[in-house]
Amino acid sequence: MRNLDTDAIETFQNLAIELPSWAFGNSGTRFKVFGTPGTPRTVEEKIADAATVHRFTGLAPKVALHIPWDVVDDFGALRSYAADLGVDLGTVNSNTFQDDDYKFGSLTHTDKHVRQKAIDHHIRCIEVMNETGSRDLKIWLADGTNYPGQGDIRGRQDRLAESLATIYQHIGDEQRMVLEYKFFEPATYMTDVPDWGTSYAQVSALGERALVCLDTGHHAPGTNIEFIVAQLLRLGKLGSFDFNSRFYADDDLIVGAADPFQLFRIMFEVIRGGGLDTGSPVALMLDQCHNVEEKIPGQIRSVLNVQEMTARALLVDTDALADAQDTGDVLGANAIFMDAFYTDIRPDLAAWRAERGLPADPMAAFAQSGYQEEITAARVGGTQSSWGA
Amino acid sequence: MRNLDTDAIETFQNLAIELPSWAFGNSGTRFKVFGTPGTPRTVEEKIADAATVHRFTGLAPKVALHIPWDVVDDFGALRSYAADLGVDLGTVNSNTFQDDDYKFGSLTHTDKHVRQKAIDHHIRCIEVMNETGSRDLKIWLADGTNYPGQGDIRGRQDRLAESLATIYQHIGDEQRMVLEYKFFEPATYMTDVPDWGTSYAQVSALGERALVCLDTGHHAPGTNIEFIVAQLLRLGKLGSFDFNSRFYADDDLIVGAADPFQLFRIMFEVIRGGGLDTGSPVALMLDQCHNVEEKIPGQIRSVLNVQEMTARALLVDTDALADAQDTGDVLGANAIFMDAFYTDIRPDLAAWRAERGLPADPMAAFAQSGYQEEITAARVGGTQSSWGA
Amino acid sequence: MRNLDTDAIETFQNLAIELPSWAFGNSGTRFKVFGTPGTPRTVEEKIADAATVHRFTGLAPKVALHIPWDVVDDFGALRSYAADLGVDLGTVNSNTFQDDDYKFGSLTHTDKHVRQKAIDHHIRCIEVMNETGSRDLKIWLADGTNYPGQGDIRGRQDRLAESLATIYQHIGDEQRMVLEYKFFEPATYMTDVPDWGTSYAQVSALGERALVCLDTGHHAPGTNIEFIVAQLLRLGKLGSFDFNSRFYADDDLIVGAADPFQLFRIMFEVIRGGGLDTGSPVALMLDQCHNVEEKIPGQIRSVLNVQEMTARALLVDTDALADAQDTGDVLGANAIFMDAFYTDIRPDLAAWRAERGLPADPMAAFAQSGYQEEITAARVGGTQSSWGA
Amino acid sequence: MRNLDTDAIETFQNLAIELPSWAFGNSGTRFKVFGTPGTPRTVEEKIADAATVHRFTGLAPKVALHIPWDVVDDFGALRSYAADLGVDLGTVNSNTFQDDDYKFGSLTHTDKHVRQKAIDHHIRCIEVMNETGSRDLKIWLADGTNYPGQGDIRGRQDRLAESLATIYQHIGDEQRMVLEYKFFEPATYMTDVPDWGTSYAQVSALGERALVCLDTGHHAPGTNIEFIVAQLLRLGKLGSFDFNSRFYADDDLIVGAADPFQLFRIMFEVIRGGGLDTGSPVALMLDQCHNVEEKIPGQIRSVLNVQEMTARALLVDTDALADAQDTGDVLGANAIFMDAFYTDIRPDLAAWRAERGLPADPMAAFAQSGYQEEITAARVGGTQSSWGA
């Protein structure tokens, strides 16, 4: 590909993005969840859709599960089912926010029985991981409070530390725990893991296999996300990404849709910090909601956006950039940086795909494939998957 | 009451806050809606709860309806039912965001049939108003787009103007249309009525009985809301408030909970601009979600908060304040302002209530009344009300 | 140019961007203003630098003045001086924030003598306009308060209206007044013209030749600026732009630097609303601070950024876009929009420049021209211009 | 004092707030610095003003210095001078943002000579501390970049770590280094210490005597500051506060002025985490700008605000609160919390002051003291202090 040397090509080819099973189900806002024809009713149908994304892009070899949404009787069979479709089962995402017991918290709850229930849920997730061959347990905690005084901030943090330590003891030698932070929502006053600092402090207390998960939509307005990427890579604690984009809150839009230049800057720092090196500990994953757009092409568009911005980021002439930076040439450094961003790498990527037997234009190829029509016709009756099923 | 002269007392006694029927049903986030025992199953039960708030506070003589959530066969009968409980039916709130046809807009939709359907819904709302004796039709529009390019911003605005004009023709001589604006949500890229300027421009094009509705949670971070209050009062276009509070987005917390000083400043400007004068066109309403707290006491707390901050705002020594302002005495002016805010008016309010045969402490009185236990026992079976029913 | 039809070419060629004289002087933050060799000492030297930007880009035929920073004895002579260098004198910007009398306000001040002084300053600005042949008087008002209670929000707004009306009477038939709004700074609690709604309401009360000025850095976090552009164009009240970009507050960075996709969306709406049509009332201007980067190339980069994003915006296949919008094809519409943004138009623009006798690469051409070295050598001694001189 | 038990009284009496010398000089925005009669010309005059604040409030026994603004030939003599006025010299604040060499960074600069210069400045500050008897070296770093690509985020962080380690070696056994973070400004794209996580990670790598400084105005919009307070206290890394308040950016308003309830919540967490216990490592300091208000009363108002909110926070019935929290009584817990906030503690504080021989009303007492008139008459000629002198 244009201007990419051998190292850059290797970095580029290391790119793989995990898809969340739930992106293929319906999602929405508190106001309304719109359904669409062809939406999966089962985890198998979600995996089939995810495998389709991989078939058209070559970028998405894994599917993340959400427990209990994706609970099946036989996870070994599910793993084989996925393998037959060409994908592996990936990160297991726990859910401690939809049971009535968790109304006032889960791992941080004042009631030790509720905490134990939440801990047990995570242990069950680890058992699932053992069956699915998943490496990562991802914990996103909805815990928090809505009103000042409602909870004891400090006590909740201490209980969180204790709960996490208990779960961590169950993490296998080849497994990892990643702790996701989020600025707000569903909690509206205080969230128990609101920022990277809290996640970092909590996982640092646990051990090497506990890492931070960075969701690109989970920050305060104006936050410089690529700085956090660089910092966590520097500290050796960046475990994974949840990719999406946002204009306002946790909008969960297609990654790169709201601010493609931001995605470019993030991928530049990922590469700069070795996050795409062979053997890198950084897992890339999508976490999005396709509320009004079609889901499968939404996921295809998403992985392509990450690929395109990765390719552009690899175009940055880092030697020239370093020179400009060292000499205080602000406009020169910025120009080198922007030149890569502005370069239209799409034809090169199309050629690269074609060489590998992939569709040059995955969006068009999917549209023409008839897959959507097929599932629309086939998936009649039953209950469409959504958050909660 | 302490320090309040005759005019101030009259202003204070003009305070009345409309309650939203939906505040008594369940609400939540996109992640989970938690139910609670005793939650109303019908609009009549919602009204009964609202009337209870009024009985304990003397502050909430009206209940706002939401159509279609509160549709009944006989609105005249509903009006009588409410009257028997001591309350009137108030603002009628339209809903054009939960029908599948509105996925891509309602009054702004590119398809004229969908626009007509949305217009017809509003005409139906006006018919309801005729039966309920309601004065105000409130339009909060969820219309917007999630992705750049998805919609034609300008075309949508033009269609909105046309739709509103059509609806406005049906507004009776004694009725009003209030147009609410909202910064974002559910739309995540572009909202068709995102700010007071847009609402003001749209209603100004309609006529005198079209006004702006200001929801205190619908602004960008950092927005000076009391400025907008002052400006809209100055322009003669402030029709109504939706009160609530927020730390982050449209959190819909109890009004005054997140920033009581902000509520004080807002009430100060309401009073300053004549919004509590006898005959004022400004309607005060709550629009909140009690996701984790009890609903009836949540509403009691809310109207009390508005009352307390109104009383404190009335304590401001406006003559001394004007002097300090005119002489550039920044600290002096601020001190006069803060002194009112910091004055603990609660004992005076308790005495004022007792004089009028109201409970001195409405929260305690409600807790001791047995009402909650009663409805918990009585309201078994059926489907609890929530957004959508 | 690629894909541009005749109309689009005309639109593209209408692009002209006014430069602010003060961008060539030193600027900085409250912490420090760094100087650089070659910085102008006089308004003539600023104009010479601005003319240089025009010479290398063909995009910047006018220079805006700031009064009193750019006061000279003979504005007619200054106009000739500029004309000899190939540029016209443009918008006159008033300054009522640096005189000690304005500590607590200017056009809104409680003291009528201070208000009159500020009004007189604007009348003097109009006299300057008469001498320079400028069309636009731009009023950016620093008025506001830092503490709650410090000022009477409503009274200040009324006085503002009165002051503006007085000034407006002096605006000639071929002249215009544009009123700029700003979210905050220097005021930290309340700004008297904080949003487009306020500016719109104020100028609407004046007359046809009073319009709104939109500074792209003067909004709350998350504000959808292109929506405001579309709305003001629809209302016929968009008078001018102050272009710059920002990550946080009013950072005054090079336009397009922080979020090029946002600039693309803004230019798309400018074009959509006729803002680049022949005879359009919309004036485009830069208002930036080159605190750490070189100033002349900073301005060149800026006008090129606007040109590049205008060209990309003109590439949008609006027929196909309308079709996708009308059919609810969210991903299709977004793809058409993004395709234009992602297209690397730079080679076409280089060719277009070369055809017109302009440097294909204005940044490189300027660097090689020796101009910077020349002024660095020549401009020794004296006091470098900055805000205040 | 009302409702305060012995422990609470001790906690309350531990309250002491350090004043910044620079608060007594002029400050402003990038647009204008307004001067006022009586403003100090020398560090001695600043100290005299600070001592006056202490004399009227009993709350401010220390004055923080800023180097080089407060450089004198003989710091020992300055210490004696302060002692004679009843105050000690406190935190030494370094300044590496006003020398031309620091245009592109100081401790993070790519040029090792500049880094060494900045390191040497800090060593000089430590020498000053040795002479003044100061315990804390506070580092607020203005380092950052304005444009993407301008600097290497990761490399800058690594150089920062190295520079800090070098400085830390010079910190005496009884001394401490506190590292302040700031969201943005003066840098507008990337700040090298932008958040508490970065400061925490950097100081954790150094040792026990390196701690975090939390400036209440240095966060992204919406940040829950009391959470960070609780977290840093839990981690044992909260070294000091810079108190002020803000509506928008780093407005540096009087602490408690913008959101008194937030200050209450912060003080509640300080107390909850032992930050006011005898022997606590947490230093409280003001860092404010009195741009338009009088400076000495501005400082008096500030320390009184902290005292008032501390007293209110101590009123919280923590046993009842814990019960309500444990039983999920959201409204009950919130009510207990708010009851303390709403209690007017000012009469108790006035009595408490009077008992100790302090003015019951320090603001009034200062106004009547004639001090302001005295310094206005005396401080004629010379150059008024401001940032930079």
Side-chain angles (χ1 to χ4, degrees), chain A residues 152 158 189 226 234 272, chain D residues 152 158 189 226 234 272:
Chain A
D152 176 25
D158 290 339
Y189 161 61
E226 58 268 27
R234 177 180 171 269
R272 167 68 178 88
Chain D
D152 175 25
D158 291 337
Y189 161 62
E226 58 268 28
R234 176 180 172 270
R272 166 68 178 89

Side-chain angles (χ1 to χ4, degrees), chain A residues 237-285:
Chain A
K237 280 295 186 187
L238 182 58
S240 62
F241 275 97
D242 269 8
F243 276 127
N244 50 60
S245 75
R246 48 78 69 97
F247 287 97
Y248 302 97
D250 185 31
D251 302 339
D252 281 329
L253 299 178
I254 287 173
V255 56
D259 186 350
F261 181 43
Q262 184 186 55
L263 177 57
F264 169 84
R265 300 193 308 263
I266 288 171
M267 292 315 303
F268 180 81
E269 290 303 328
V270 169
I271 295 162
R272 167 68 178 88
L276 282 184
D277 287 356
T278 304
S280 155
V282 181
L284 307 183
M285 201 182 114

